[in-house]
Amino acid sequence: DVKVTQSSRYLVKRTGEKVFLECVQDMDHENMFWYRQDPGLGLRLIYFSYDVKMKEKGDIPEGYSVSREKKERFSLILESASTNQTSMYLCASRTTGRSGYTFGSGTRLTVV
Amino acid sequence: SQQGEEDPQALSIQEGENATMNCSYKTSINNLQWYRQNSGRGLVHLILIRSNEREKHSGRLRVTLDTSKKSSSLLITASRAADTASYFCATDGTGANNLFFGTGTRLTVIP
């Protein structure tokens, strides 16, 4: 069964910590995405990548960076975690062409 | 914003009834997609309708698209308690490489 795997379901970090959220897909998809989901705001795109070592900013990239060294792995990095980054983080992937996304199960991050 | 907007925000129905959710959007699209999210989980792709299609069916799901009104609807027939979830529309715009999601409709199906 094809899937997108996010390394943690729940994560609690302290303000100022550097946080790594990992996402791995086994479908050989070219495109990978990081969204955050907050009540009343829906899903907002943070960053996406359409190829290895390539990245594009989404709507809310401030305070985040990403890394894609291998095709199957797309990492989201919170350089210095802040309480306003407490959220549900969702990773997704899709192949080239206008297809649907496959999502991971999400990581609920709490920054205290 | 390029986000779609779902209507209603919340919907509560009895098992066996039909549920209709609507989505409006602002930009030109290649396709529009519907997703489902169970509480605290990731989203699951349900159905994709292309801009040159007007209606599409998948099992108990029926999706319509009206590009002149920039709107879509998702109909779930003969609802079940297991259909309880949030439903999101997502637009695949002509000028973008990613999907734009609405804020979702929370559907509750009462057994």
Side-chain angles (χ1 to χ4, degrees), chain B residues 10 79-80 83-84 94 101:
Chain B
S79 63
R80 305 166 181 168
D83 294 329
T84 293
T94 54
F101 288 83

PDB file of all heavy atoms in Angstrom, chain B residues 10 79-80 83-84 94 101:
ATOM      1  N   ALA B  10     -20.629  23.650   9.008  1.00  0.00           N
ATOM      2  CA  ALA B  10     -20.960  22.428   9.737  1.00  0.00           C
ATOM      3  C   ALA B  10     -22.326  21.944   9.299  1.00  0.00           C
ATOM      4  O   ALA B  10     -23.213  22.748   8.976  1.00  0.00           O
ATOM      5  CB  ALA B  10     -20.932  22.673  11.247  1.00  0.00           C
ATOM      6  N   SER B  79     -26.177   8.543   3.648  1.00  0.00           N
ATOM      7  CA  SER B  79     -25.034   8.716   4.555  1.00  0.00           C
ATOM      8  C   SER B  79     -25.019   7.662   5.666  1.00  0.00           C
ATOM      9  O   SER B  79     -26.055   7.112   6.063  1.00  0.00           O
ATOM     10  CB  SER B  79     -25.057  10.111   5.167  1.00  0.00           C
ATOM     11  OG  SER B  79     -26.213  10.258   5.948  1.00  0.00           O
ATOM     12  N   ARG B  80     -23.807   7.410   6.154  1.00  0.00           N
ATOM     13  CA  ARG B  80     -23.569   6.452   7.244  1.00  0.00           C
ATOM     14  C   ARG B  80     -22.831   7.157   8.368  1.00  0.00           C
ATOM     15  O   ARG B  80     -22.161   8.160   8.138  1.00  0.00           O
ATOM     16  CB  ARG B  80     -22.724   5.292   6.736  1.00  0.00           C
ATOM     17  CG  ARG B  80     -23.289   4.591   5.510  1.00  0.00           C
ATOM     18  CD  ARG B  80     -22.257   3.705   4.868  1.00  0.00           C
ATOM     19  NE  ARG B  80     -22.772   3.046   3.668  1.00  0.00           N
ATOM     20  CZ  ARG B  80     -22.027   2.400   2.780  1.00  0.00           C
ATOM     21  NH1 ARG B  80     -20.710   2.312   2.965  1.00  0.00           N
ATOM     22  NH2 ARG B  80     -22.580   1.831   1.722  1.00  0.00           N
ATOM     23  N   ASP B  83     -19.353   8.198   7.764  1.00  0.00           N
ATOM     24  CA  ASP B  83     -19.066   9.359   6.904  1.00  0.00           C
ATOM     25  C   ASP B  83     -18.754  10.599   7.732  1.00  0.00           C
ATOM     26  O   ASP B  83     -18.357  11.631   7.169  1.00  0.00           O
ATOM     27  CB  ASP B  83     -20.246   9.650   5.977  1.00  0.00           C
ATOM     28  CG  ASP B  83     -20.490   8.551   4.968  1.00  0.00           C
ATOM     29  OD1 ASP B  83     -19.517   7.893   4.549  1.00  0.00           O
ATOM     30  OD2 ASP B  83     -21.671   8.340   4.598  1.00  0.00           O
ATOM     31  N   THR B  84     -18.960  10.536   9.026  1.00  0.00           N
ATOM     32  CA  THR B  84     -18.654  11.662   9.901  1.00  0.00           C
ATOM     33  C   THR B  84     -17.182  12.035   9.762  1.00  0.00           C
ATOM     34  O   THR B  84     -16.290  11.217  10.007  1.00  0.00           O
ATOM     35  CB  THR B  84     -18.971  11.320  11.365  1.00  0.00           C
ATOM     36  OG1 THR B  84     -20.382  11.160  11.500  1.00  0.00           O
ATOM     37  CG2 THR B  84     -18.476  12.410  12.310  1.00  0.00           C
ATOM     38  N   THR B  94      -4.658  27.184 -12.625  1.00  0.00           N
ATOM     39  CA  THR B  94      -3.890  27.158 -13.867  1.00  0.00           C
ATOM     40  C   THR B  94      -2.523  27.810 -13.696  1.00  0.00           C
ATOM     41  O   THR B  94      -1.593  27.501 -14.423  1.00  0.00           O
ATOM     42  CB  THR B  94      -4.644  27.873 -14.994  1.00  0.00           C
ATOM     43  OG1 THR B  94      -4.995  29.193 -14.552  1.00  0.00           O
ATOM     44  CG2 THR B  94      -5.914  27.131 -15.372  1.00  0.00           C
ATOM     45  N   PHE B 101      -6.580  24.835  -0.546  1.00  0.00           N
ATOM     46  CA  PHE B 101      -7.657  24.168   0.189  1.00  0.00           C
ATOM     47  C   PHE B 101      -8.589  25.177   0.829  1.00  0.00           C
ATOM     48  O   PHE B 101      -8.169  26.251   1.264  1.00  0.00           O
ATOM     49  CB  PHE B 101      -7.068  23.276   1.284  1.00  0.00           C
ATOM     50  CG  PHE B 101      -6.401  22.044   0.752  1.00  0.00           C
ATOM     51  CD1 PHE B 101      -5.102  22.098   0.288  1.00  0.00           C
ATOM     52  CD2 PHE B 101      -7.076  20.832   0.711  1.00  0.00           C
ATOM     53  CE1 PHE B 101      -4.470  20.966  -0.222  1.00  0.00           C
ATOM     54  CE2 PHE B 101      -6.455  19.692   0.216  1.00  0.00           C
ATOM     55  CZ  PHE B 101      -5.158  19.758  -0.257  1.00  0.00           C
TER      56      PHE B 101
END
